[in-house]
Each structure stands twice: as structure tokens, then as C-alpha cells.
């Protein structure tokens, strides 16, 4: 849904109401403001921001990576996700990405696969970061951001 209107016209209030209603009905909701840094016509810029601003049902914080930290290859959730992406999407990329992520035991490989899922190209990841749990994953994302910004940390 895209809402356009004058300044102080109630756009944000309307969108917050829709967001809350969707959340109360256990829907996945993304909340994103479109601007120069997030133009709607440049999917490569829009997708990563959309992923980090996605709220899962019954979650107060955005993001879905915490689900992957606890999901195992044989779990019901993994099976449902794999069946959905195999049958409902136009491309196979997400299917193979999820399958590889669920099957790998290598922390570095899993980090790269999850980064790809978030919208970071695997080719862009030039630094080796080992991730063991979600707290370290968040730390690794922060460090990677600083490395990309040119602030080299040892």
C-alpha cells in the first residue's frame, strides 16, 4: 500500500492503524518510508531495507533472522517454508538459498547465505566473520557495516 498526501494529512496515522490491525491478525508486516535512499523503482535498494523492516506475527522488533537461528532442517516450520517457496514463487533462488542455509553447519557459510537472504549480495561480502548465535550475528552485522564504511577494526 502506498499512501500519498499533503503534510499533516494523516498518512502516518492511517498507516500505523493498518500496521496495528495487520499485526493483531498475525500478518507479516513491513514498515518502510520511501525516499531518495529507498526509491520504489530500484529494487536492489528497496529489498534490503524491506527485509530489516519486516515484522513477524507477535514480534515487537523488526527482522526475521532470529527465526533462522533456531530453525532446524527437519522442523515443521522449515518444511512449511520450503513447501511454500517451492510452490508459490516464480524463481527457485529462495528455495535453494533456504535449503542451503538449513543444511549447512558452517557458521561462515550460513552468515553469507543469511546476508544474501537479507539483500546483501554474497559477492559483496569480502570479510570472514564467524557467527555462532544471534547475539554474535548482530555483532557481526555491525562489524561488517563498519568494515564496509571504511572503519577497519582489528
Amino acid at each position: 500500500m502506498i499512501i500519498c498526501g499533503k503534510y499533516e494529512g494523516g498518512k502516518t496515522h492511517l498507516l500505523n492503524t493498518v500496521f496495528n490491525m495487520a499485526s493483531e491478525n498475525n500478518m507479516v508486516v513491513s514498515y518502510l518510508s520511501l525516499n531518495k535512499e529507498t526509491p520504489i523503482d530500484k529494487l536492489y535498494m528497496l529489498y534490503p531495507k524491506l527485509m530489516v523492516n519486516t515484522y513477524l506475527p507477535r514480534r515487537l522488533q523488526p527482522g526475521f533472522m532470529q527465526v533462522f537461528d533456531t530453525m532446524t532442517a527437519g522442523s515443521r516450520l522449515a518444511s512449511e517454508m520450503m513447501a511454500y517457496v517451492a510452490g508459490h514463487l516464480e524463481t527457485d533462488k529462495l528455495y535453494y538459498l533456504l535449503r542451503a542455509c538449513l543444511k549447512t553447519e558452517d557458521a561462515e557459510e550460513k552468515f553469507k547465505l543469511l546476508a544474501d537472504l537479507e539483500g546483501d549480495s554474497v559477492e559483496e561480502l569480502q570479510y570472514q566473520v564467524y557467527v555462532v548465535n544471534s547475539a554474535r550475528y548482530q555483532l557481526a552485522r555491525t562489524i561488517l557495516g563498519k568494515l564496509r564504511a571504511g572503519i577497519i577494526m582489528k
Side-chain angles (χ1 to χ4, degrees):
M1 172 184 312
I2 298 174
I3 305 292
C4 297
K6 295 180 181 178
Y7 182 74
E8 294 290 322
K11 302 177 299 290
T12 302
H13 178 73
L14 174 63
L15 289 173
N16 283 331
T17 301
V18 171
F19 175 90
N20 289 327
M21 289 173 64
S23 294
E24 289 170 3
N25 286 293
N26 292 325
M27 295 180 175
V28 175
V29 182
S30 294
Y31 193 90
L32 184 66
S33 295
L34 300 176
N35 53 43
K36 290 179 183 176
E37 290 80 33
T38 314
I40 196 167
D41 63 333
K42 295 192 173 36
L43 189 57
Y44 69 93
M45 294 173 75
L46 183 68
Y47 180 80
K49 293 186 186 231
L50 191 63
M51 290 297 99
V52 298
N53 288 294
T54 296
Y55 291 78
L56 297 176
R58 296 175 299 282
R59 303 276 180 159
L60 299 176
Q61 297 296 318
F64 57 90
M65 290 301 145
Q66 67 273 11
V67 172
F68 289 102
D69 288 337
T70 59
M71 190 168 41
T72 60
S75 69
R76 191 184 101 202
L77 178 59
S79 299
E80 289 174 0
M81 286 180 73
M82 295 300 292
Y84 182 83
V85 298
H88 292 86
L89 301 181
E90 291 182 24
T91 69
D92 293 338
K93 179 181 178 179
L94 186 56
Y95 174 82
Y96 289 111
L97 188 60
L98 285 173
R99 188 175 79 174
C101 187
L102 288 168
K103 291 185 181 237
T104 187
E105 295 293 325
D106 182 83
E108 180 183 3
E109 182 180 357
K110 187 167 189 168
F111 174 75
K112 288 180 180 180
L113 291 165
L114 290 175
D116 192 24
L117 187 61
E118 282 186 307
D120 291 330
S121 172
V122 173
E123 294 83 28
E124 290 178 16
L125 299 174
Q126 301 172 4
Y127 304 97
Q128 293 183 354
V129 180
Y130 293 93
V131 181
V132 176
N133 59 35
S134 62
R136 289 188 182 161
Y137 175 76
Q138 293 302 324
L139 177 62
R141 297 289 299 161
T142 302
I143 291 170
L144 186 59
K146 289 181 179 183
L147 288 170
R148 285 185 179 156
I151 304 169
I152 305 299
M153 298 173 54
K154 292 185 180 183

